[in-house]
């Protein structure tokens, strides 16, 4: 009788040599992968992914940059973002003067800057390749659907209605309101000067005087708002906008975080912008009611724009009724009706365009006149000649 071992050996199937070789090879391969994966942990994976992202970010920047003027290398991901912590005019000016077209990349957003008129025109004429924008956060403050960010027909619908608001005849109609604002603020300036003379205080802040830049910003804001929305906005609202407008300016730095984080410059700027938009929308609603009343006359840009919309609506209604409208009765531009918020966003762009540059120019103008008494006398003489009796005590 065969032993148990003999029976086992007899029943065992012998593996072919090729199969054995494959098994041995698989075992060796498994051992190689094990040696690699044994040294892998979550930190090494994260480090590898981070290094790959840094390399990709740099290569993407080089690919977009091409031959454009700009930094040869960029700080990974954030680019020159840290400059916004302590911005220097010299750095911006150096970038501006480096070439007619230069570039920078911030948070993987590729930004080009045109420093000449011709380059700027080319940029605006290429909406398929670039998004015209002051800074990345501008669309968040002014709203993405704002007319300045639109292209094609949507943009033209705004433009054809706005052009008529800035003709010579239209601008003449805004002058009385502006003169009213000037007289109001000139009176306050005059009273402050008289008080300073009585108290024998100096002109500068170090001698008891006041800084003029803030009151000039308020003056420019009041002039803009009176021109844009007339008396639909109260003086207290104008002052509040002027006081808060600095937050909007601060949020418009060239380099900023791409998302709005609470209690940052962009966050305060967004809150200030929302307040302005709400105020202008309220003015638009009031103007639509007033301009439909009998005998209402246009006194500001808002009135004239709404009047154009009303005339366009009346024209369309006559056409729908089948009337044959003479060509001379057709509005110069047939506009669609714009909502209160669409009007508000547009007026906000006017304020944005007119505020800081004009306030700065006004500050420098007064400083230069103070430094040049001979030039100041010429300005006073010309003012008396043009205004006559209206020049009054302010020319004394």
């Amino acid at each position: 009788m065969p032993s148990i071992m003999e029976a086992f050996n007899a029943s065992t199937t012998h593996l072919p040599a090729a199969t054995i070789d494959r098994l041995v090879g698989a075992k060796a391969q498994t051992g190689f992968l094990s040696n690699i994966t044994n040294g892998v942990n979550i930190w090494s994976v994260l480090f590898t992914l981070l290094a790959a992202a840094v390399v990709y970010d740099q290569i993407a920047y080089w690919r977009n940059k091409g031959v454009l003027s700009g930094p040869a290398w960029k700080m990974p991901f954030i680019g020159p973002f840290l400059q916004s912590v302590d911005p220097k005019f010299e750095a911006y000016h150096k970038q501006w003067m480096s070439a007619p077209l230069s570039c920078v990349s911030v948070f993987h957003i590729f930004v080009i800057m045109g420093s000449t008129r011709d380059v700027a025109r080319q940029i605006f004429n290429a909406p398929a390749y670039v998004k015209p924008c002051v800074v990345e956060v501008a669309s968040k403050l002014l709203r993405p659907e704002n007319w300045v960010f639109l292209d094609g027909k949507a943009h033209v619908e705004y433009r054809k209605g706005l052009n008529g608001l800035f003709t010579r005849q239209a601008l003449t109609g805004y002058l009385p309101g502006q003169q009213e604002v000037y007289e109001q603020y000139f009176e306050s300036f005059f009273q402050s000067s008289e008080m300073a003379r009585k108290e024998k205080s100096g002109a500068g802040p170090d001698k008891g005087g006041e800084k003029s830049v803030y009151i000039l910003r308020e003056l420019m804001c009041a002039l803009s708002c009176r021109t844009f929305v007339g008396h639909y906005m109260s003086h207290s609202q104008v002052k509040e906008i002027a006081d808060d407008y600095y937050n909007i300016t601060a949020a418009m730095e060239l380099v900023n975080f791409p998302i709005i984080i609470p209690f940052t410059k962009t966050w305060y700027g967004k809150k200030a912008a929302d307040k302005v938009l709400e105020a202008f929308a309220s003015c638009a609603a009031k103007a639509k009611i007033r301009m439909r009343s009998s005998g209402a006359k246009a006194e500001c840009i808002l009135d004239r724009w709404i009047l154009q919309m009303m005339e366009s609506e009346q024209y369309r209604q006559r056409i729908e009724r089948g009337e044959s409208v003479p060509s001379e009765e057709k509005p110069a531009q047939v506009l669609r009706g714009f909502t209160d918020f669409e009007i508000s966003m547009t007026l906000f762009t006017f304020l944005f365009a007119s505020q800081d540059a004009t306030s700065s120019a006004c500050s420098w103008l007064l400083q230069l006149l103070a430094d040049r008494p001979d030039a100041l006398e010429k300005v006073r003489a010309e003012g008396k000649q043009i205004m006559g009796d209206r020049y009054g005590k302010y020319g004394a």
Side-chain angles (χ1 to χ4, degrees):
M1 183 176 181
S3 65
I4 296 176
M5 184 59 68
E6 289 174 339
F8 176 78
N9 291 336
S11 62
T12 301
T13 303
H14 295 283
L15 293 174
T19 303
I20 295 174
D21 292 339
R22 286 198 299 272
L23 290 174
V24 173
K27 182 178 180 181
Q29 185 177 5
T30 303
F32 175 74
L33 294 176
S34 298
N35 291 335
I36 296 177
T37 56
N38 284 341
V40 174
N41 55 47
I42 184 63
W43 296 111
S44 60
V45 171
L46 291 177
F47 178 79
T48 302
L49 293 176
L50 177 62
V54 170
V55 172
Y56 171 76
D57 184 58
Q58 185 65 49
I59 292 176
Y61 170 65
W62 284 338
R63 185 184 60 206
N64 290 327
K65 178 180 181 296
V67 298
L68 292 179
S69 175
W73 298 82
K74 61 166 290 191
M75 185 174 292
F77 309 122
I78 65 173
F81 171 70
L82 296 179
Q83 293 180 7
S84 64
V85 178
D86 185 22
K88 296 289 193 301
F89 173 77
E90 292 76 11
Y92 291 105
H93 188 256
K94 181 179 179 181
Q95 175 88 21
W96 183 265
M97 298 300 294
S98 62
L101 188 64
S102 59
C103 66
V104 67
S105 181
V106 187
F107 292 106
H108 206 61
I109 300 172
F110 190 73
V111 181
I112 60 172
M113 290 173 284
S115 59
T116 67
R117 180 195 60 187
D118 294 336
V119 170
R121 182 181 291 114
Q122 292 177 358
I123 293 174
F124 282 117
N125 288 334
Y129 302 96
V130 293
K131 180 178 73 173
C133 188
V134 180
V135 290
E136 178 64 22
V137 77
S139 60
K140 297 181 177 66
L141 270 61
L142 302 178
R143 302 300 174 89
E145 62 272 26
N146 198 302
W147 75 286
V148 295
F149 303 125
L150 301 179
D151 297 317
K153 182 180 178 181
H155 181 81
V156 172
E157 284 184 338
Y158 280 89
R159 285 289 298 272
K160 68 181 183 181
L162 298 178
N163 289 338
L165 305 178
F166 298 95
T167 62
R168 184 181 295 272
Q169 180 182 2
L171 293 175
T172 302
Y174 309 144
L175 291 177
Q178 293 178 349
Q179 186 64 34
E180 181 182 337
V181 173
Y182 277 128
E183 291 179 357
Q184 177 185 354
Y185 277 86
F186 286 171
E187 178 63 27
S188 67
F189 295 165
F190 183 78
Q191 295 298 334
S192 298
S193 298
E194 286 295 301
M195 185 177 299
R197 287 172 185 164
K198 291 179 181 179
E199 296 176 356
K200 297 182 179 180
S201 61
D206 57 334
K207 297 181 180 179
E210 298 179 358
K211 290 183 178 180
S212 61
V213 63
Y214 302 115
I215 189 64
L216 290 175
R217 175 187 287 271
E218 183 182 324
L219 168 60
M220 292 299 108
C221 184
L223 281 170
S224 297
C225 290
R226 179 59 57 85
T227 304
F228 302 155
V229 299
H231 289 88
Y232 300 116
M233 181 176 290
S234 66
H235 179 72
S236 60
Q237 285 179 301
V238 171
K239 182 169 174 52
E240 187 176 6
I241 290 175
D243 292 341
D244 292 343
Y245 197 86
Y246 176 77
N247 292 326
I248 301 175
T249 304
M252 289 290 186
E253 291 178 340
L254 174 63
V255 189
N256 246 318
F257 205 71
I259 60 176
I260 296 178
I261 300 176
F263 307 109
T264 60
K265 292 180 181 179
T266 52
W267 186 76
Y268 287 113
K270 181 68 164 56
K271 289 177 67 68
D274 291 345
K275 189 183 298 184
V276 174
L277 288 169
E278 182 180 355
F280 280 151
S282 175
C283 293
K286 296 175 184 176
K288 287 180 178 179
I289 295 174
R290 174 181 172 274
M291 292 307 295
R292 293 186 183 279
S293 60
S294 177
K297 295 182 179 181
E299 299 177 354
C300 59
I301 286 178
L302 179 58
D303 287 343
R304 288 182 177 274
W305 194 8
I306 290 176
L307 185 60
Q308 289 181 359
M309 295 182 211
M310 293 169 54
E311 292 173 348
S312 298
E313 180 61 25
Q314 293 170 0
Y315 172 76
R316 281 192 294 267
Q317 291 175 355
R318 294 176 65 182
I319 294 297
E320 291 173 358
R321 290 195 297 265
E323 293 186 30
S324 178
V325 182
S327 58
E328 60 270 15
E329 296 182 16
K330 179 181 178 181
Q333 296 289 347
V334 180
L335 311 181
R336 69 173 177 85
F338 292 91
T339 66
D340 294 345
F341 194 69
E342 287 177 325
I343 295 172
S344 174
M345 289 189 294
T346 305
L347 295 176
F348 188 20
T349 61
F350 294 166
L351 181 65
F352 179 75
S354 65
Q355 187 66 13
D356 286 315
T358 311
S359 299
S360 178
C362 188
S363 299
W364 278 105
L365 173 64
L366 295 182
Q367 180 62 56
L368 292 172
L369 288 175
D371 294 339
R372 291 283 305 277
D374 57 323
L376 177 59
E377 288 303 318
K378 292 180 180 179
V379 171
R380 283 177 169 171
E382 184 176 345
K384 286 183 178 181
Q385 180 182 357
I386 295 174
M387 300 185 67
D389 295 338
R390 292 182 299 157
Y391 201 60
K393 60 185 177 182
Y394 306 126

